[in-house]
Amino acid sequence: MNPQTRPPAIPSPEESAFLQAYDPQAFDRPSVTVDVVLLALREERLQTLLVRRREPPFKDQWALPGGFLHMHESLDEAAARILEEKARIRGPYLEQLYTFGDPKRDPRMRILSVAYYALVNPARFLDPPLPSDEIALACLRVPWIGEQGGPAEVRLFPESQPLPLAFDHAEILDMAVQRIRGKLDYAPIGFELLPPSFTLLELQKVHETVLGRPLNKDSFRRRMLATGRLEPTGKIRQDVGRPAALYRYLREA
Amino acid sequence: MNPQTRPPAIPSPEESAFLQAYDPQAFDRPSVTVDVVLLALREERLQTLLVRRREPPFKDQWALPGGFLHMHESLDEAAARILEEKARIRGPYLEQLYTFGDPKRDPRMRILSVAYYALVNPARFLDPPLPSDEIALACLRVPWIGEQGGPAEVRLFPESQPLPLAFDHAEILDMAVQRIRGKLDYAPIGFELLPPSFTLLELQKVHETVLGRPLNKDSFRRRMLATGRLEPTGKIRQDVGRPAALYRYLREA
DNA sequence: GAAATAGTGTCTTTAAGACAGTATGTG
DNA sequence: CACATACTGTCTTAAAGACACTATTTC
C-alpha cells in the first residue's frame, strides 16, 4: 500500500486544537449492536445459534446472538466477543454481512445492527451441551434453491413448528444463507464447517446441504482438486466401503 | 440523552480503575455516518466523486461525500440524501457496500461509516459543472486486475499526482472497486453507468474499463444477449462505421 | 475504394455432466 | 460372496475463445 495515499497518523497543531474543542455529544446518535448468524452443520442439517430473549421487546422469543458495540472495540472484535460470550467459540470464520438500519426495526429506539455470519465446525462448541432454555442450535430449512432470496425457517427440532424470530432477525438470517450460497460458488468455504481434515465426499455433502441441491460428484471432485488448495494428509478415513483419502485445506495461495 | 449519566471527561486514577473494570463506555454510542462511493464513466475512465473538506480533521484534503445519519431515516435514505445534497443526483443505482468501524478511523471520536456505492451515467450530473474547488469527479486508476484487493489511486486530472484521501476513504474506495468488479461477472450492472439506450460495444467498453482488462467480443455479445434482459429499441446509433443496434435493459425478469 | 465498426458462422478449446468400469474396504 | 464407497477413464454436451467472413456506414 502506498503511504502517500494514506492519511497522516499525527494531526497538525491546528487540528489538535479543533479536536479538543469538539463536543462528541453534539448530535443525537443511534445505538449500534452487532448480531451474529452462526452456521454449523449437524446431522446433515444446517443449524444456527439462537438465544432466548429474557426482556421485552419480543420477550421469550428467539433471537440471533448479539450485543451492543463497545466503544473501544472494532466491529470484528465485537462479533468475535459476542460469539465467545454466548457460545464459547473462539476464532471461527467470521465475516461482516450487512448493516440493518430501518428506523423502526427496534420498537424501543433507533438501533443499527451490524450483522456478521460465522461458519464453524460444531465439534468446537458441543462443550456446553445444547439445546437449553436459553440457547439453542436450531435447524434451518430453506425452501428455495440458488442464490435468490426466500424465507428461511427455523425449528428447535427437525419436526417441530417454525419459530418466529425477534426483530428483523429472520431477514438477517435469509441474507446470511443467501450470502454463503453465493460465496460457495467461487470461494471454497465449505471446509470451514468441517473438522481440519475431511474426505471429498464429506466436503461435497456440505456444499449440497448449504446449496440445497445435489451436486455432480465427478465435476465436484475435479473442481475441488483443480483449486490446488486441498492437500492430502496421507491419512485415510475408514468408514464403510472403500477407505477415502483425507484432505486438509491450504489457506495460503 | 442525560449528560449527567456520562462519566467526567478526565477521570481520576481511582475512577480510571473503575472504568476499566466495568467498561462504562459499553453503553455509550458511536456516531454513524454514511459515505458514498459514486462511480461514473467519462472519457473511457472510471471516475469517482470527491469533496474537499472545509474543516479539520484532514482539512483541505479530499474525501468521499458523506454525512451523519439522521435519526428518522434509513441507511438507504441517508445515502440517497447525501448524493442528492452533494451532487444533485436522484435515484441512481445504490447499494450498501460495507460498514467500517475501526475505533481509530476518525481521530475525533468513535464514528462508524456505513459505506454505499452508486453507479450513475455522468450525463445526469454535469448540470453543476465539475470540477470545482469544492467537489470534483476524480479519475480512478486501479493498478490491479481481477477481484483481488489493491490500492486504487485517485487524480484530479489524468496526468496529475495521486491524491491522498481523508480518513480510511482510500480503503472504502478499494472495496467499492473490488465489489463492482466481482459483481460484474454475474450481474449485468454495467448498463447502470450508461444512458438508457446503448450499443453492445458501449456496454463492452464499460465492462472492460471497470474490470481493467480486454474482453472477448464474440463471447461478450453472446453472453449479454443470452441473459434475455437486453431488448433492442429498434433504433440505431450512427457514429462511424456500420450503424449499431441500440439496446435497452429490462429490469424485470 | 479505404477505413471503421456491426454482425454471422464455424472451428477449437475447456469445463461440466454422464456413466462405465475398476479398486478396496466391510459384513 | 454381496455391498458400499473411492477413484479413473472416456464420451457427450455446453460455453468460451479465436478467427474468418460478410454487411453497412463515413470519408
Side-chain angles (χ1 to χ4, degrees), chain A residues 115-147:
Chain A
Y116 277 72
Y117 71 97
L119 306 180
V120 74
N121 167 20
R124 292 174 63 182
F125 68 124
L126 287 182
D127 173 10
L130 294 171
S132 73
D133 272 2
E134 303 286 332
I135 184 167
L137 250 196
C139 302
L140 209 50
R141 219 181 72 189
V142 190
W144 43 273
I145 61 172
E147 297 171 32

Side-chain angles (χ1 to χ4, degrees), chain A residues 136-248:
Chain A
L137 250 196
C139 302
L140 209 50
R141 219 181 72 189
V142 190
W144 43 273
I145 61 172
E147 297 171 32
Q148 310 319 312
E153 289 176 346
V154 148
R155 301 155 207 266
L156 283 186
F157 302 99
E159 306 310 326
S160 51
Q161 286 300 304
L163 297 177
L165 294 188
F167 306 106
D168 53 0
H169 289 188
E171 194 185 338
I172 299 178
L173 194 56
D174 286 348
M175 192 177 283
V177 178
Q178 189 175 341
R179 175 75 60 90
I180 186 182
R181 282 184 168 179
K183 193 148 187 169
L184 215 51
D185 282 337
Y186 64 94
I189 53 178
F191 67 91
E192 301 282 2
L193 294 163
L194 288 171
S197 70
F198 47 86
T199 69
L200 282 177
L201 187 59
E202 285 169 336
L203 187 60
Q204 180 177 350
K205 288 234 166 87
V206 169
H207 281 235
E208 289 177 336
T209 305
V210 172
L211 293 175
R213 63 184 168 92
L215 293 174
N216 183 282
K217 180 183 166 187
D218 308 87
S219 102
F220 183 82
R221 289 178 67 87
R222 265 187 305 226
R223 243 180 340 122
M224 286 302 127
L225 294 174
T227 63
R229 308 189 76 117
L230 289 180
E231 183 190 52
T233 63
K235 302 196 173 176
I236 291 289
R237 162 139 320 156
Q238 272 175 251
D239 213 7
V240 58
R242 174 171 167 179
L246 285 170
Y247 291 87
R248 162 177 39 240

Side-chain angles (χ1 to χ4, degrees), chain B residues 17-67:
Chain B
F18 177 88
L19 297 185
Q20 278 208 309
Y22 291 95
D23 199 16
Q25 294 186 23
F27 304 107
D28 208 350
R29 299 173 191 182
S31 296
V32 176
T33 63
V34 172
D35 293 314
V36 182
V37 178
L38 182 136
L39 296 174
L41 220 52
R42 272 205 312 179
E43 294 148 19
E44 312 243 327
R45 280 170 203 283
L46 202 53
Q47 310 207 336
T48 193
L49 191 74
L50 299 179
V51 296
R52 192 186 270 278
R53 289 185 58 78
R54 311 311 291 169
E55 316 251 320
F58 301 102
K59 186 171 184 317
D60 296 325
Q61 283 193 36
W62 293 91
L64 296 173

Side-chain angles (χ1 to χ4, degrees), chain B residues 216 218-219 222-223 238-239 241-243:
Chain B
N216 182 281
D218 310 86
S219 102
R222 267 188 304 225
R223 243 183 337 123
Q238 272 175 251
D239 211 8
R242 172 172 171 179

Side-chain angles (χ1 to χ4, degrees), chain B residues 178-199:
Chain B
Q178 190 175 338
R179 175 75 60 89
I180 185 183
R181 281 184 169 179
K183 193 147 187 170
L184 215 50
D185 282 338
Y186 63 93
I189 54 177
F191 68 91
E192 301 281 2
L193 294 163
L194 288 171
S197 70
F198 48 84
T199 70

